[in-house]
Amino acid sequence: MKVRPLGPILVAIAVPAALTFASTQKQLVYVDSVKNPRIKIVGKGGFWIPDDSFEFKGNVQVDHFVEKFKLTCEKAVGKFVTVANKTEIDKVSLTGGVHAVKSSDSIVLSADGNQADYNIEGDNRNLKLHGGVILDVKSSGKEPSAWHVTGASANVNMKKSGDFLNSAKLEGPLVFNGTQLKKVKDKQVETKFKVKAREMTYASRGESGNAEIRLSGDIEIVQQEGSDEASISGAELLVLELNQDRQIIKVRFSSGGGDRQIKTTVTKSGSGNA
Amino acid sequence: MMALALVGCSKGSSNPKPKETKKESAETKKPKDVAIAVSAAKNRRSNANHEPIWEIEWESANLGIQDGKQFGSMVKVKGTAFEKGEKSASFASDSAVADKFEEKLVLEGNVRVESDKSPKATMTAKKVEWLPNLKVFKASGDVTIESASGVVGPIDNLYADSKLHKVGTSLEYFKK
């Protein structure tokens, strides 16, 4: 080791170099790949254990670009797993203002709750929501439609690709709002439904591409068409058939048998009981 | 090593004040500011149990005393961090400063840390401190960590364990 005196350099090395940042980067950002990201997780803080697990806190946003699925919440804790040589997230516990959005070409499903669990189940992605659950579906097809349901909990099975929603079960008390569009004498008529019930199931109908919503338990229906309004009580089951664009195309309800009677009250807007 | 190297210029003793005490006189006679340059060398720091905590090589080093305090910086460095006597990560940077009191090593400028244990990961930053007592890297300035399963960053500040197998925004995540 050679040693030589060096005077003038003293001042230069005595002053520690200040770090200057071009811009602040306060968020913790994870992507599974920089070149071709499939999954991105952003939060104000947290930790990451490669190939194992993660915890993100503060304005958390999870994007699954391939599956067109997005989650936002206050805290997300989960595992990384490898499926078909790709990194996926699984066993994710979400808390605080959970908002999930799943999109297909013309349909957008959004699901809200105070907390949720997200899991991989084969080709499906399961989301269990609790606390002030809202499920909202909007179709942007040729004849736009929408339905919206609030409840206490929801168990939602989404396909990883293709159709947005495979099945769902909501428990209440719940309130369903939906719109049926139908043509009557070449004129499009809009019928709005507001249904109170205890339970709701949604199921795809296989190859037909249609789907079915079944509402059951202490049903109260308010049906509005133009200025006419009908209140229906006493039904035990309401079945709404949906087409491929998830528009309501058929409505039927039953008393469920026994002594139960369906009572319908029709009113004209502003005219009282008819 | 520093003790051997501390030779060189001094200043401050050329114009002694007329009414100085014995103590002041002794201080002014002691060399205050000293600087030296050292060529390429290698150093290893061990803990009280004689286990290595880091090992570093440098192309050149500047050592000195200012106001009676020793300091030094190494230029173009590369080395190894150890945990429990085993290699955990290798590193390289433009410069480094060793703090022998806190036993920490501060790397600055184009810092690159690579884990030696699988799964492999690489951390890059403007500045990284190796804190052997906590077995944690404290990184700042455009911090990015990349492994086969993904990338975290860039972010201003981040902590990582000695093998880069866990990274987090708070030291709390590393307290057992």
Side-chain angles (χ1 to χ4, degrees), chain A residues 177-215:
Chain A
N177 283 282
T179 305
Q180 180 190 21
L181 292 166
K182 58 185 177 185
K183 281 193 174 175
V184 180
K185 294 176 184 174
D186 294 333
K187 192 179 172 186
Q188 196 164 63
V189 177
E190 188 181 86
T191 306
K192 289 182 177 174
F193 292 93
K194 182 174 184 177
V195 184
K196 289 182 180 174
R198 293 218 165 271
E199 191 176 295
M200 182 190 121
T201 58
Y202 172 101
S204 288
R205 280 278 165 255
E207 290 179 0
S208 71
N210 286 1
E212 193 176 80
I213 290 173
R214 297 169 79 90
L215 289 144

Side-chain angles (χ1 to χ4, degrees), chain A residues 59-78:
Chain A
N59 290 338
V60 179
Q61 184 166 320
V62 181
D63 277 289
H64 199 308
F65 299 112
V66 176
E67 296 181 7
K68 295 180 179 175
F69 183 59
K70 184 183 282 189
L71 284 163
T72 54
C73 60
E74 274 306 301
K75 186 178 178 184
V77 181

Side-chain angles (χ1 to χ4, degrees), chain A:
Chain A
M1 185 173 72
K2 290 178 182 175
V3 177
R4 64 183 171 83
L6 188 73
I9 202 167
L10 180 64
V11 176
I13 60 174
V15 180
L19 281 175
T20 53
F21 304 123
S23 62
T24 56
Q25 295 152 328
K26 302 290 183 195
Q27 288 186 310
L28 184 66
V29 181
Y30 161 82
V31 285
D32 63 321
S33 161
V34 173
K35 288 180 182 173
N36 187 24
R38 297 171 65 255
I39 297 172
K40 183 180 181 181
I41 311 173
V42 180
K44 283 184 179 172
F47 69 78
W48 171 56
I49 301 177
D51 297 332
D52 185 81
S53 57
F54 63 88
E55 178 180 308
F56 280 69
K57 289 196 280 192
N59 290 338
V60 179
Q61 184 166 320
V62 181
D63 277 289
H64 199 308
F65 299 112
V66 176
E67 296 181 7
K68 295 180 179 175
F69 183 59
K70 184 183 282 189
L71 284 163
T72 54
C73 60
E74 274 306 301
K75 186 178 178 184
V77 181
K79 298 274 182 192
F80 290 110
V81 293
T82 303
V83 180
N85 295 321
K86 298 275 195 291
T87 299
E88 299 287 353
I89 54 168
D90 192 16
K91 297 180 174 58
V92 187
S93 172
L94 306 147
T95 48
V98 182
H99 178 63
V101 178
K102 170 81 172 170
S103 308
S104 67
D105 291 341
S106 61
I107 303 168
V108 177
L109 160 76
S110 67
D112 293 81
N114 287 332
Q115 61 184 83
D117 294 299
Y118 173 84
N119 291 291
I120 293 176
E121 289 183 356
D123 281 346
N124 287 335
R125 305 291 181 255
N126 180 259
L127 187 67
K128 286 189 178 74
L129 292 139
H130 304 279
V133 171
I134 301 170
L135 210 61
D136 187 89
V137 173
K138 284 187 175 66
S139 161
S140 57
K142 285 180 183 174
E143 294 174 336
S145 68
W147 50 268
H148 177 100
V149 59
T150 60
S153 65
N155 188 342
V156 179
N157 278 299
M158 299 165 288
K159 289 184 178 176
K160 67 177 180 183
S161 58
D163 195 1
F164 71 110
L165 189 57
N166 197 28
S167 67
K169 182 176 182 180
L170 285 90
E171 289 179 346
L174 48 89
V175 178
F176 175 93
N177 283 282
T179 305
Q180 180 190 21
L181 292 166
K182 58 185 177 185
K183 281 193 174 175
V184 180
K185 294 176 184 174
D186 294 333
K187 192 179 172 186
Q188 196 164 63
V189 177
E190 188 181 86
T191 306
K192 289 182 177 174
F193 292 93
K194 182 174 184 177
V195 184
K196 289 182 180 174
R198 293 218 165 271
E199 191 176 295
M200 182 190 121
T201 58
Y202 172 101
S204 288
R205 280 278 165 255
E207 290 179 0
S208 71
N210 286 1
E212 193 176 80
I213 290 173
R214 297 169 79 90
L215 289 144
S216 59
D218 300 330
I219 293 179
E220 291 177 35
I221 306 165
V222 176
Q223 187 177 332
Q224 192 180 36
E225 195 175 298
S227 59
D228 295 341
E229 191 174 281
S231 297
I232 303 161
S233 60
E236 187 56 29
L237 178 69
L238 174 70
V239 181
L240 306 167
E241 196 174 319
L242 312 175
N243 65 11
Q244 289 180 342
D245 290 330
R246 299 301 171 254
Q247 295 160 333
I248 300 167
I249 53 171
K250 194 183 278 182
V251 179
R252 66 178 194 275
F253 48 86
S254 69
S255 66
D259 296 332
R260 187 184 286 271
Q261 286 190 325
I262 295 174
K263 184 183 173 187
T264 305
T265 307
V266 180
T267 57
K268 282 269 185 191
S269 178
S271 63
N273 287 339

